[in-house]
PDB file of all heavy atoms in Angstrom:
ATOM      1  N   GLN T 367     -33.220 -30.952 -31.861  1.00 96.00           N
ATOM      2  CA  GLN T 367     -32.763 -32.421 -31.831  1.00 96.00           C
ATOM      3  C   GLN T 367     -32.474 -32.798 -30.370  1.00 96.00           C
ATOM      4  O   GLN T 367     -32.770 -33.912 -29.948  1.00 96.00           O
ATOM      5  CB  GLN T 367     -31.539 -32.532 -32.685  1.00 96.00           C
ATOM      6  CG  GLN T 367     -31.087 -33.945 -32.804  1.00 96.00           C
ATOM      7  CD  GLN T 367     -29.936 -34.050 -33.786  1.00 96.00           C
ATOM      8  OE1 GLN T 367     -29.432 -33.081 -34.325  1.00 96.00           O
ATOM      9  NE2 GLN T 367     -29.429 -35.277 -33.927  1.00 96.00           N
ATOM     10  N   VAL T 368     -31.806 -31.940 -29.560  1.00 95.00           N
ATOM     11  CA  VAL T 368     -31.489 -32.169 -28.197  1.00 95.00           C
ATOM     12  C   VAL T 368     -32.744 -32.364 -27.371  1.00 95.00           C
ATOM     13  O   VAL T 368     -32.851 -33.255 -26.479  1.00 95.00           O
ATOM     14  CB  VAL T 368     -30.506 -31.062 -27.672  1.00 95.00           C
ATOM     15  CG1 VAL T 368     -30.438 -31.191 -26.058  1.00 95.00           C
ATOM     16  CG2 VAL T 368     -29.164 -31.149 -28.264  1.00 95.00           C
ATOM     17  N   ARG T 369     -33.688 -31.430 -27.550  1.00 95.00           N
ATOM     18  CA  ARG T 369     -35.096 -31.570 -26.951  1.00 95.00           C
ATOM     19  C   ARG T 369     -35.695 -32.934 -27.187  1.00 95.00           C
ATOM     20  O   ARG T 369     -36.161 -33.546 -26.257  1.00 95.00           O
ATOM     21  CB  ARG T 369     -35.973 -30.399 -27.307  1.00 95.00           C
ATOM     22  CG  ARG T 369     -37.281 -30.360 -26.702  1.00 95.00           C
ATOM     23  CD  ARG T 369     -38.257 -29.400 -27.179  1.00 95.00           C
ATOM     24  NE  ARG T 369     -38.573 -29.672 -28.623  1.00 95.00           N
ATOM     25  CZ  ARG T 369     -39.262 -30.589 -29.100  1.00 95.00           C
ATOM     26  NH1 ARG T 369     -40.016 -31.386 -28.180  1.00 95.00           N
ATOM     27  NH2 ARG T 369     -39.540 -30.707 -30.442  1.00 95.00           N
ATOM     28  N   ARG T 370     -35.589 -33.364 -28.382  1.00 95.00           N
ATOM     29  CA  ARG T 370     -36.367 -34.686 -28.732  1.00 95.00           C
ATOM     30  C   ARG T 370     -35.486 -35.772 -28.190  1.00 95.00           C
ATOM     31  O   ARG T 370     -36.134 -36.756 -27.672  1.00 95.00           O
ATOM     32  CB  ARG T 370     -36.308 -34.847 -30.288  1.00 95.00           C
ATOM     33  CG  ARG T 370     -37.260 -33.999 -30.980  1.00 95.00           C
ATOM     34  CD  ARG T 370     -37.260 -34.050 -32.435  1.00 95.00           C
ATOM     35  NE  ARG T 370     -38.089 -33.182 -33.156  1.00 95.00           N
ATOM     36  CZ  ARG T 370     -39.206 -33.482 -33.701  1.00 95.00           C
ATOM     37  NH1 ARG T 370     -39.674 -34.707 -33.523  1.00 95.00           N
ATOM     38  NH2 ARG T 370     -40.024 -32.689 -34.248  1.00 95.00           N
ATOM     39  N   TYR T 371     -34.105 -35.602 -28.166  1.00 91.00           N
ATOM     40  CA  TYR T 371     -33.339 -36.698 -27.497  1.00 91.00           C
ATOM     41  C   TYR T 371     -33.751 -36.809 -26.012  1.00 91.00           C
ATOM     42  O   TYR T 371     -33.851 -37.908 -25.485  1.00 91.00           O
ATOM     43  CB  TYR T 371     -31.825 -36.348 -27.632  1.00 91.00           C
ATOM     44  CG  TYR T 371     -30.957 -37.250 -26.829  1.00 91.00           C
ATOM     45  CD1 TYR T 371     -30.689 -38.444 -27.378  1.00 91.00           C
ATOM     46  CD2 TYR T 371     -30.410 -36.878 -25.585  1.00 91.00           C
ATOM     47  CE1 TYR T 371     -29.811 -39.366 -26.724  1.00 91.00           C
ATOM     48  CE2 TYR T 371     -29.495 -37.777 -24.989  1.00 91.00           C
ATOM     49  CZ  TYR T 371     -29.302 -38.984 -25.638  1.00 91.00           C
ATOM     50  OH  TYR T 371     -28.490 -39.878 -24.868  1.00 91.00           O
ATOM     51  N   TRP T 372     -33.826 -35.679 -25.242  1.00 91.00           N
ATOM     52  CA  TRP T 372     -34.071 -35.703 -23.817  1.00 91.00           C
ATOM     53  C   TRP T 372     -35.561 -36.289 -23.630  1.00 91.00           C
ATOM     54  O   TRP T 372     -35.787 -37.070 -22.674  1.00 91.00           O
ATOM     55  CB  TRP T 372     -33.755 -34.406 -23.146  1.00 91.00           C
ATOM     56  CG  TRP T 372     -32.472 -34.060 -23.028  1.00 91.00           C
ATOM     57  CD1 TRP T 372     -31.841 -32.867 -23.487  1.00 91.00           C
ATOM     58  CD2 TRP T 372     -31.386 -34.887 -22.527  1.00 91.00           C
ATOM     59  NE1 TRP T 372     -30.592 -32.968 -23.299  1.00 91.00           N
ATOM     60  CE2 TRP T 372     -30.103 -34.096 -22.626  1.00 91.00           C
ATOM     61  CE3 TRP T 372     -31.314 -36.068 -21.908  1.00 91.00           C
ATOM     62  CZ2 TRP T 372     -29.010 -34.465 -22.210  1.00 91.00           C
ATOM     63  CZ3 TRP T 372     -30.066 -36.508 -21.488  1.00 91.00           C
ATOM     64  CH2 TRP T 372     -28.970 -35.701 -21.677  1.00 91.00           C
ATOM     65  N   ALA T 373     -36.422 -35.802 -24.515  1.00 92.00           N
ATOM     66  CA  ALA T 373     -37.834 -36.427 -24.382  1.00 92.00           C
ATOM     67  C   ALA T 373     -37.842 -37.902 -24.631  1.00 92.00           C
ATOM     68  O   ALA T 373     -38.677 -38.623 -23.849  1.00 92.00           O
ATOM     69  CB  ALA T 373     -38.783 -35.656 -25.325  1.00 92.00           C
ATOM     70  N   ASP T 374     -37.136 -38.443 -25.481  1.00 90.00           N
ATOM     71  CA  ASP T 374     -37.017 -39.742 -25.764  1.00 90.00           C
ATOM     72  C   ASP T 374     -36.431 -40.547 -24.557  1.00 90.00           C
ATOM     73  O   ASP T 374     -36.923 -41.587 -24.181  1.00 90.00           O
ATOM     74  CB  ASP T 374     -36.167 -40.006 -26.968  1.00 90.00           C
ATOM     75  CG  ASP T 374     -36.224 -41.554 -27.488  1.00 90.00           C
ATOM     76  OD1 ASP T 374     -37.294 -42.111 -27.448  1.00 90.00           O
ATOM     77  OD2 ASP T 374     -35.169 -42.037 -27.791  1.00 90.00           O
ATOM     78  N   GLN T 375     -35.399 -39.885 -24.023  1.00 87.00           N
ATOM     79  CA  GLN T 375     -34.697 -40.527 -22.855  1.00 87.00           C
ATOM     80  C   GLN T 375     -35.747 -40.611 -21.648  1.00 87.00           C
ATOM     81  O   GLN T 375     -35.764 -41.608 -20.936  1.00 87.00           O
ATOM     82  CB  GLN T 375     -33.481 -39.750 -22.448  1.00 87.00           C
ATOM     83  CG  GLN T 375     -32.354 -39.866 -23.371  1.00 87.00           C
ATOM     84  CD  GLN T 375     -31.806 -41.325 -23.405  1.00 87.00           C
ATOM     85  OE1 GLN T 375     -31.662 -41.898 -22.418  1.00 87.00           O
ATOM     86  NE2 GLN T 375     -31.509 -41.788 -24.602  1.00 87.00           N
ATOM     87  N   ASP T 376     -36.584 -39.456 -21.506  1.00 89.00           N
ATOM     88  CA  ASP T 376     -37.466 -39.467 -20.343  1.00 89.00           C
ATOM     89  C   ASP T 376     -38.588 -40.538 -20.685  1.00 89.00           C
ATOM     90  O   ASP T 376     -39.073 -41.209 -19.677  1.00 89.00           O
ATOM     91  CB  ASP T 376     -38.132 -38.096 -20.217  1.00 89.00           C
ATOM     92  CG  ASP T 376     -37.119 -37.096 -19.642  1.00 89.00           C
ATOM     93  OD1 ASP T 376     -36.127 -37.411 -19.182  1.00 89.00           O
ATOM     94  OD2 ASP T 376     -37.358 -35.891 -19.890  1.00 89.00           O
ATOM     95  N   ARG T 377     -39.006 -40.539 -21.863  1.00 90.00           N
ATOM     96  CA  ARG T 377     -40.143 -41.557 -22.220  1.00 90.00           C
ATOM     97  C   ARG T 377     -39.661 -42.999 -22.022  1.00 90.00           C
ATOM     98  O   ARG T 377     -40.303 -43.848 -21.445  1.00 90.00           O
ATOM     99  CB  ARG T 377     -40.526 -41.253 -23.607  1.00 90.00           C
ATOM    100  CG  ARG T 377     -41.853 -42.091 -24.007  1.00 90.00           C
ATOM    101  CD  ARG T 377     -42.369 -41.621 -25.427  1.00 90.00           C
ATOM    102  NE  ARG T 377     -41.364 -41.354 -26.392  1.00 90.00           N
ATOM    103  CZ  ARG T 377     -41.040 -40.140 -26.844  1.00 90.00           C
ATOM    104  NH1 ARG T 377     -41.727 -39.049 -26.298  1.00 90.00           N
ATOM    105  NH2 ARG T 377     -40.191 -39.969 -27.823  1.00 90.00           N
ATOM    106  N   GLU T 378     -38.318 -43.280 -22.405  1.00 87.00           N
ATOM    107  CA  GLU T 378     -37.831 -44.657 -22.200  1.00 87.00           C
ATOM    108  C   GLU T 378     -37.641 -44.954 -20.734  1.00 87.00           C
ATOM    109  O   GLU T 378     -37.998 -46.127 -20.250  1.00 87.00           O
ATOM    110  CB  GLU T 378     -36.454 -44.657 -22.956  1.00 87.00           C
ATOM    111  CG  GLU T 378     -35.841 -45.952 -22.995  1.00 87.00           C
ATOM    112  CD  GLU T 378     -34.498 -45.938 -23.865  1.00 87.00           C
ATOM    113  OE1 GLU T 378     -34.657 -45.464 -25.077  1.00 87.00           O
ATOM    114  OE2 GLU T 378     -33.445 -46.295 -23.290  1.00 87.00           O
ATOM    115  N   GLN T 379     -37.209 -43.973 -19.982  1.00 87.00           N
ATOM    116  CA  GLN T 379     -37.082 -44.307 -18.497  1.00 87.00           C
ATOM    117  C   GLN T 379     -38.410 -44.498 -17.829  1.00 87.00           C
ATOM    118  O   GLN T 379     -38.579 -45.338 -16.951  1.00 87.00           O
ATOM    119  CB  GLN T 379     -36.298 -43.175 -17.839  1.00 87.00           C
ATOM    120  CG  GLN T 379     -35.910 -43.391 -16.406  1.00 87.00           C
ATOM    121  CD  GLN T 379     -34.935 -42.394 -15.925  1.00 87.00           C
ATOM    122  OE1 GLN T 379     -34.526 -41.526 -16.488  1.00 87.00           O
ATOM    123  NE2 GLN T 379     -34.609 -42.567 -14.595  1.00 87.00           N
TER     124      GLN T 379
END
Side-chain angles (χ1 to χ4, degrees):
Q367 185 176 3
V368 169
R369 181 190 58 79
R370 288 173 185 261
Y371 174 77
W372 291 126
D374 186 46
Q375 292 293 317
D376 290 343
R377 191 170 39 252
E378 189 175 302
Q379 187 168 359

